[in-house]
Amino acid sequence: KCASILHKGLSYCHNNEQQHNENLLTRAIKHEERMGNLSKARQLLGCLKSAKIEKVWRTVLEGALLEGRAGNAVIAKKVLKYLMHHVPWYGPLYLEAYRLEERHSSLTIACDGANDDDKNDDYSYYSPSALIIVERGLEEIPRYGPLWFAAFRMCEAIDVSKRDFDLPYTMAMMERATYCISRELLWKVHMEAAQVQERAAILAAVAAEKDYVDNYRDAGNSTLSFPTLNEKL
């Protein structure tokens, strides 16, 4: 019944000005996807081929996200790249492209047989191509907060993967953000900085303990005596 109502509404959009009603068309595409009718959803998107991108870019974006959810990452990335060229001022577009790139990269690593610990650790993995997308978005809209926080996450992953627990890359990115991000989000940047440093301190302690154990084993010691907290300090 929902589909018939939406299609009936679209059938009334006869004149050129309303030929592609974005709200109705987007809802119809989402409905067909929920019902599992991907071919029908793609058919609806096909009617946008002759439309001006300035009038239908939101619906085209929905189509890209649909392809991404369907597992067609290559097609989705091509459409998102096209949209980033024509709608460079829309922040969520870069965010969706970054998420898709990161998901696709992590799936590729999983299929290649990466170590389970590496691919499940949010703070030791990042996608270089995803970082490029985020940087491109920050150049266009430097005040858009979600892109900065995505950048923080990836910079943290870079530092952790190099065992740079002082987080030079992450802290430099956060310093950049304080000059550009919306003022109402500055407090969140500082809170994120505190949380990042706390995570790094824990990882550094774990790494130090592991190195301590490994050194004793390499030396041929059968018993281990861990230093007390005062000795560590």
Side-chain angles (χ1 to χ4, degrees):
K1 188 176 180 181
C2 290
S4 62
I5 293 172
L6 290 167
H7 287 288
K8 187 174 182 180
L10 289 171
S11 69
Y12 286 114
C13 302
H14 291 306
N15 60 69
N16 292 332
E17 194 67 28
Q18 291 293 322
Q19 188 176 3
H20 306 293
N21 186 292
E22 273 201 304
N23 288 332
L24 279 177
L25 192 54
T26 301
R27 287 177 182 274
I29 291 167
K30 286 181 177 180
H31 176 75
E32 296 296 350
E33 182 187 8
R34 281 196 299 270
M35 299 302 293
N37 301 326
L38 292 183
S39 58
K40 184 64 177 177
R42 291 182 180 119
Q43 185 179 341
L44 289 169
L45 286 163
C47 70
L48 301 178
K49 287 182 179 179
S50 60
K52 292 183 178 179
I53 191 63
E54 296 82 9
K55 293 185 177 182
V56 296
W57 64 267
R58 291 181 187 273
T59 308
V60 174
L61 173 58
E62 185 58 38
L65 299 181
L66 178 149
E67 295 297 346
R69 290 189 291 266
N72 299 321
V74 175
I75 295 175
K77 285 194 280 188
K78 284 182 179 179
V79 177
L80 289 170
K81 185 177 180 180
Y82 173 79
L83 288 172
M84 282 188 283
H85 176 73
H86 289 279
V87 197
W89 46 265
Y90 188 61
L93 173 59
Y94 297 95
L95 204 59
E96 293 294 349
Y98 143 74
R99 287 170 178 163
L100 176 67
E101 191 65 51
E102 201 168 55
R103 280 198 307 272
H104 185 240
S105 297
S106 62
L107 284 172
T108 302
I109 289 175
C111 291
D112 289 342
N115 182 279
D116 287 340
D117 292 334
D118 291 339
K119 69 189 180 188
N120 289 328
D121 187 349
D122 286 342
Y123 302 104
S124 64
Y125 165 77
Y126 81 102
S127 166
S129 50
L131 183 57
I132 291 172
I133 291 171
V134 169
E135 285 283 13
R136 179 178 174 181
L138 290 174
E139 287 180 10
E140 293 289 344
I141 33 177
R143 291 174 59 82
Y144 187 61
L147 283 178
W148 282 111
F149 292 101
F152 299 159
R153 178 183 176 281
M154 286 186 285
C155 290
E156 182 182 1
I158 293 171
D159 286 331
V160 169
S161 67
K162 295 178 179 178
R163 292 171 68 95
D164 285 338
F165 297 118
D166 289 334
L167 306 173
Y169 197 24
T170 309
M171 300 315 294
M173 182 65 75
M174 288 182 165
E175 180 70 15
R176 275 178 58 192
T178 59
Y179 295 105
C180 302
I181 202 169
S182 300
R183 293 184 66 181
E184 59 268 21
L185 290 176
L186 273 176
W187 69 270
K188 196 170 182 180
V189 173
H190 294 300
M191 185 177 75
E192 184 70 17
Q195 292 174 336
V196 164
Q197 289 172 330
E198 181 183 19
R199 287 193 293 269
I202 293 170
L203 289 172
V206 170
E209 186 172 301
K210 184 178 183 300
D211 291 342
Y212 181 79
V213 171
D214 291 342
N215 288 337
Y216 263 73
R217 285 176 178 168
D218 292 341
N221 292 293
S222 58
T223 59
L224 296 176
S225 57
F226 291 98
T228 63
L229 180 60
N230 288 332
E231 289 173 335
K232 286 183 179 180
L233 296 174

